[in-house]
Amino acid sequence: MRVTFAFVASALVVSLVLRTLNYFSDKRNNPVSVKAQVFLSWTLSVSILTLVPLDVGYSLSQMGNDKNGGAHERTDDGNMMTYMWGVTYWSTFLLTWVILPLHQIYEDSGDFTFASRCSTALRENVVFYLVLVGILAIGATGLLFFGSLDASSLSAYGIVVANAWGISTGILLVGYGLVEVPRALYKRSFLDDRPTMAYKRVAHVSRSLQEAHEDLKKVCKAVATTARVMPRRHELRWAMDIIESEVPDAETLRMDNNNNNNNNNN
C-alpha cells in the first residue's frame, strides 16, 4: 500500500512541477541548466507532501507493533525513510546555500569568459557568507560575554539560529500570501471591473514596452558607435565583438517597433 501511494504521489508531484514549469518558463530564452535546477528545487520542496504521510504511516505501524508486544527493530522501511529524508534535506540544503546562489550570480554577471563569471560568483557568495558568519559570531560573542551561552551549548545556539531563520522566512512568505491571494481573489470577484483593470494593465505594459524599446535603441546606438571607432587591433576588441554580437541590429529594431505600433493601433 505504501509503495503504491509513493509511486502515485511521486508521479503527481513530477507532473505538477512539469506543468507549472512549462507554464511559467520562457521556452526560447531559458537555458536548460536553469530549467533543470528549478525543476529539481520545486520537486524536492513539493516531495515533502509525499514523505510526511509515508513517515506518519510508518510510525503508526511501529506503534501498532509495540502495542502488540513486538520487538522494536529497525526495518527496511525505516531505513528507507531515513534515506529519503536525508536525500531531501541535503539536496535542498546544497541547492539553497551553494548551487542556486552560485548559478544566480553566474548568470547575472557581466563577465565575458566562463572562468571570470565563476570567479565573480564565488567572490560575491564568499562575501555574503563571511558577513553572515560575522553576524553570527558577534551574537555568539555577546551571549558568551553576558554568560547566557557557554562553549558546550554552541551547537544548540546554531540550531536555534537556523530555526529562527526558517520560521521568520516562512512567516514573511506565508503572511504575504495570506494578504495578497485573498485580495487578488476579491478584486477578481467584480466581473464588471475586470475590463477596466485589463485596460489599465495593457496601457501600463504598452508604456513600459515603449520605454524599454527606446532605452534599447540608445544602447544599440552606443554599441554601434563604440564598435565603429574602436581600432581592430585594440586589446579589448574581442570583448567588443562579443557585445556587438549580442545586440540586435537596426533593421530588427525597426521591424519590432513597426510591429508594436501596429499592435497598438489595432
Side-chain angles (χ1 to χ4, degrees), residues 138-208:
I138 292 173
T141 303
L143 293 175
L144 288 171
F145 179 77
F146 289 106
S148 301
L149 186 69
D150 52 24
S152 61
S153 58
L154 285 177
S155 60
Y157 169 74
I159 295 174
V160 169
V161 172
N163 289 333
W165 170 271
I167 293 173
S168 301
T169 305
I171 290 175
L172 290 175
L173 295 178
V174 173
Y176 175 79
L178 289 175
V179 174
E180 186 62 25
V181 173
R183 182 169 59 183
L185 294 176
Y186 175 76
K187 290 182 179 180
R188 290 177 60 87
S189 64
F190 297 97
L191 299 180
D192 295 338
D193 295 339
R194 286 188 182 183
T196 304
M197 296 172 61
Y199 294 150
K200 292 181 179 179
R201 287 198 299 268
V202 168
H204 176 71
V205 171
S206 177
R207 184 167 57 253
S208 300

Side-chain angles (χ1 to χ4, degrees), residues 41 44-45 48 86-97 100:
S41 302
L44 289 173
S45 301
I48 297 176
V87 169
T88 302
Y89 175 82
W90 288 110
S91 300
T92 306
F93 182 86
L94 291 175
L95 283 169
T96 302
W97 296 102
L100 293 180

Side-chain angles (χ1 to χ4, degrees), residues 49-71:
L49 301 177
T50 304
L51 291 178
V52 170
L54 290 174
D55 201 355
V56 171
Y58 169 74
S59 300
L60 292 176
S61 65
Q62 289 296 107
M63 292 174 60
N65 292 335
D66 293 340
K67 290 181 179 180
N68 295 329

